[in-house]
Structures are given as structure tokens and as C-alpha cells.
Amino acid sequence: MTTLPFKDLGYKGRKGSGQISAVAYAIPPGSMAFWEQRLSLHLIKPITKKYKFGAEYIEFEHPSGLVFELTESEVNDIQGWVTDEIHDDHAIRGIFGVTLSVRDYTEQARFFTDGLKMTLAAEDGAYQRFHIGAGGPQRTIDVLYDPSLPQGTWGFAQGIVHHIAFAVETEKEQLEIKEHLVGLGFPDV
């Protein structure tokens, strides 16, 4: 995840619809208590527990305003970031997925399924989970439907995620996907 110093410029984003509202990181099974204690030790507050799609998440806000989640994930062969204080059995294993907040889930679902060929894997209350391929870490997007959300800032600003990127094999494949999306009526890609 790349962040930029927009606080120094005075640009603060307005959270709302059409934005990534949380970035979830994958942690090894059995490490949730370690992370709750570590975040508390470093005065990261508030720490909120929540459940979606049968899994426990802890959610907290970075001082910049970005919202992060940690969730235990068994399916992950990514090497963790290890330090003297964080051993491999607790190390974060990269991004699990993101949550996108929207006022209109119909068009967002069409963008993912028809446009990007993702699958609607599950629904849980106001959430829909989309998978790239088989899903799992780095192949999961949750969509949170909240019709009361105002439109969020679209641009570079503190406290918001500007974009997410998907990997493709070649530039030719990227252009084919772009043409397909434009043909579906999604020109801003």
C-alpha cells in the first residue's frame, strides 16, 4: 500500500460513496489476540471487532484517517513482514482485500461481474463479496451497500484511498479490458 503526504498540503478527503472504506490485511490463524494487544500497546484506537462472511475482523483508523482491518486467513503463502517484535506466526501476510462503499450496488456489481469477470461469491447483510478467480487473499473485494452515504472525495487527499490496481499479464490484455469496460459504458478506467 502506498500513501502520500497530503496532510502536509492540507488536502483532507471527505469519506463517502464510491470509495475504498477499508483495507483488510491477512494475518495468520491464531494471531488476532496478538494484534489486538499490539495495537492497544501503541495506543491505536478505537479498535472495533466486527464479523462479516463468518470471519472476525478488527478495525482501526490510522492517524491519517485511513481505515484498516486485520483478519485471519489460512490460505496465504505470502511471506510475512518479520521484526524483532513480530515473529512469523503473527506477521501480516499482505492485503487480504478491500471494502468499497457504494450507494448503488447494482452498477457496481455489473462492473465487477460483466466488466472484470469477477464472481459474486457471497452476501452478508449489506455486504456483497466478489472474487477474482478462486478468491482469497489479494483476490477479494467486499462491497458495502449504504444508500445514505454522501458522495466521497474523488482525487488525491488525506484519509482516502485513491485507487486499487489489478494485475494483468500484458499491456495488450490491459487494453482489451479497457475497451471492454468502455463498451459497457464505464469510460473512466
Side-chain angles (χ1 to χ4, degrees):
M1 173 125 196
T2 302
T3 59
L4 302 169
F6 290 108
K7 179 180 179 183
D8 296 345
L9 299 174
Y11 301 148
K12 186 167 173 94
R14 183 182 67 239
K15 296 181 183 201
S17 181
Q19 293 179 335
I20 302 299
S21 54
V23 177
Y25 287 90
I27 56 176
S31 62
M32 191 68 76
F34 169 85
W35 282 103
E36 287 180 89
Q37 182 180 19
R38 182 164 177 80
L39 291 169
S40 293
L41 178 69
H42 290 279
L43 305 176
I44 304 295
K45 294 184 180 178
I47 299 171
T48 307
K49 282 189 181 183
K50 65 188 210 180
Y51 296 86
K52 53 183 179 175
F53 302 103
E56 180 181 13
Y57 287 73
I58 53 174
E59 181 179 271
F60 57 97
E61 190 170 307
H62 183 274
S64 71
L66 295 173
V67 175
F68 295 119
E69 299 172 331
L70 298 176
T71 188
E72 294 179 351
S73 173
E74 290 188 35
V75 185
N76 201 336
D77 58 358
I78 296 171
Q79 180 68 35
W81 184 266
V82 177
T83 70
D84 291 340
E85 297 176 350
I86 304 169
H87 300 180
D88 188 58
D89 56 340
H90 297 123
I92 292 174
R93 301 287 198 253
I95 293 175
F96 178 82
V98 297
T99 299
L100 173 64
S101 294
V102 298
R103 290 184 296 202
D104 177 7
Y105 62 81
T106 305
E107 280 301 293
Q108 188 63 60
R110 187 171 82 85
F111 178 81
F112 286 149
T113 58
D114 295 348
L116 296 179
K117 306 302 182 202
M118 298 172 74
T119 56
L120 175 58
E123 296 187 55
D124 184 2
Y127 288 95
Q128 292 180 322
R129 174 162 283 178
F130 292 87
H131 282 167
I132 300 167
Q138 300 181 356
R139 299 182 183 312
T140 299
I141 296 181
D142 293 339
V143 175
L144 174 60
Y145 171 61
D146 184 349
S148 69
L149 280 178
Q151 180 62 44
T153 300
W154 183 245
F156 296 109
Q158 177 189 347
I160 62 166
V161 176
H162 182 264
H163 72 278
I164 57 173
F166 299 99
V168 294
E169 295 294 323
T170 66
E171 184 177 351
K172 180 178 184 269
E173 182 182 2
Q174 179 182 0
L175 291 173
E176 289 170 354
I177 292 169
K178 179 180 174 56
E179 288 175 16
H180 175 68
L181 291 170
V182 170
L184 290 174
F186 299 108
D188 191 23
V189 291

